[in-house]
Amino acid sequence: MAIIPTDLLDRIRALERQVRDLMGSANTTPALNQISDGEVVIGGGGRLRVRTADGEDLIHMGRVQPDRGPDTPQQGLMVRRDDGSMALTVRTTAPDRLETQPVQIFDRRGNVVVADDAAQRGLARPYIPYPLPRPVDTARWEATGNTSWTTLYSGPAISQHPRLYARIAVRGPAGAEVRLVVDGVQVGPAGGPGADLEFRESLAAGFSATVTFEIQARVAAAGDTVRCRPLALYGVQS
């Protein structure tokens, strides 16, 4: 039997110990479920999904449907309740008509209860009513016989939506008119007796700006009287 050098046997034993140590460490390595420093990057149209114990999506982050085009994925966020109902989304459901992604919060029936206005700025929902303007001329409440524009109601409000909805009831002779003025500028058309003056119109004021609403009226001929009453004044989406 050939004589094996002692140093070679020692090296073999050392290699065996190293292999055992490596196998042991591989079997005892903890799960990689924590990041103490650094970041996780998901690119190339990838996505992150968190699912319930039943395998239903709870959080979907990254590529969402629908795609913006055949070769253009949409990146966004979808959050569901554990019963499967949608709770929050950052995506557009119609990329061909509305490119910008709105942020939407849903109730359990799928109704959008809170959303920003993706076309312009500020809120889309909920529709928040502005305080109805109060009468200015306390001696002649809701009426005027002037042939020039006269303010009958005036009041402050805070602008939160890009457009407003107004409805004003008008009573008086033919030729009488009422109008809505915001910070001294007429908004929407003027209206006369008969059907209520009702319109939706853009509001030029910036988001969260304080504005003054005025309802003005006038008659066509001296001796006539026109009366009006604001029925609704809402901020609405574009």
Side-chain angles (χ1 to χ4, degrees), residues 7-90:
D7 62 339
L8 183 57
L9 293 174
D10 292 340
R11 290 182 180 181
I12 292 174
R13 294 189 186 97
L15 287 173
E16 289 177 343
R17 285 194 302 270
Q18 292 176 7
V19 170
R20 284 195 299 269
D21 291 343
L22 287 173
M23 293 179 64
S25 63
N27 293 329
T28 59
T29 300
L32 300 178
N33 58 3
Q34 294 184 8
I35 300 174
S36 58
D37 188 18
E39 61 185 20
V40 175
V41 178
I42 301 176
R47 56 191 166 216
L48 172 67
R49 283 176 138 174
V50 178
R51 290 182 169 175
T52 65
D54 297 328
E56 300 295 332
D57 282 349
L58 192 65
I59 299 176
H60 191 132
M61 183 184 304
R63 185 172 183 175
V64 296
Q65 295 296 323
D67 289 335
R68 293 186 179 277
D71 301 316
T72 309
Q74 179 183 182
Q75 304 293 316
L77 170 68
M78 299 168 61
V79 179
R80 296 180 182 274
R81 300 177 181 86
D82 60 4
D83 63 2
S85 61
M86 191 70 72
L88 182 147
T89 64
V90 182

Side-chain angles (χ1 to χ4, degrees), residues 100-222:
T100 303
Q101 295 177 319
V103 178
Q104 297 180 318
I105 298 177
F106 300 81
D107 64 11
R108 291 185 176 274
R109 295 188 176 183
N111 298 312
V112 179
V113 294
V114 178
D116 65 338
D117 193 282
Q120 295 187 33
R121 46 80 180 147
L123 284 173
R125 295 185 181 179
Y127 290 175
I128 300 176
Y130 295 109
L132 293 179
R134 55 180 173 78
V136 172
D137 187 352
T138 56
R140 306 186 64 188
W141 288 57
E142 303 179 344
T144 182
N146 292 336
T147 56
S148 59
W149 288 114
T150 302
T151 298
L152 300 181
Y153 297 86
S154 178
I158 297 175
S159 169
Q160 298 186 77
H161 299 74
R163 292 166 65 86
L164 62 84
Y165 165 77
R167 184 173 179 180
I168 304 170
V170 188
R171 299 292 184 271
E177 293 181 300
V178 297
R179 69 177 184 179
L180 177 67
V181 173
V182 181
D183 286 343
V185 179
Q186 179 175 329
V187 175
D196 295 341
L197 172 61
E198 185 177 13
F199 63 86
R200 286 177 170 83
E201 194 66 44
S202 294
L203 188 62
F207 179 72
S208 197
T210 300
V211 297
T212 298
F213 287 105
E214 295 178 82
I215 295 177
Q216 299 180 343
R218 67 181 179 183
V219 295

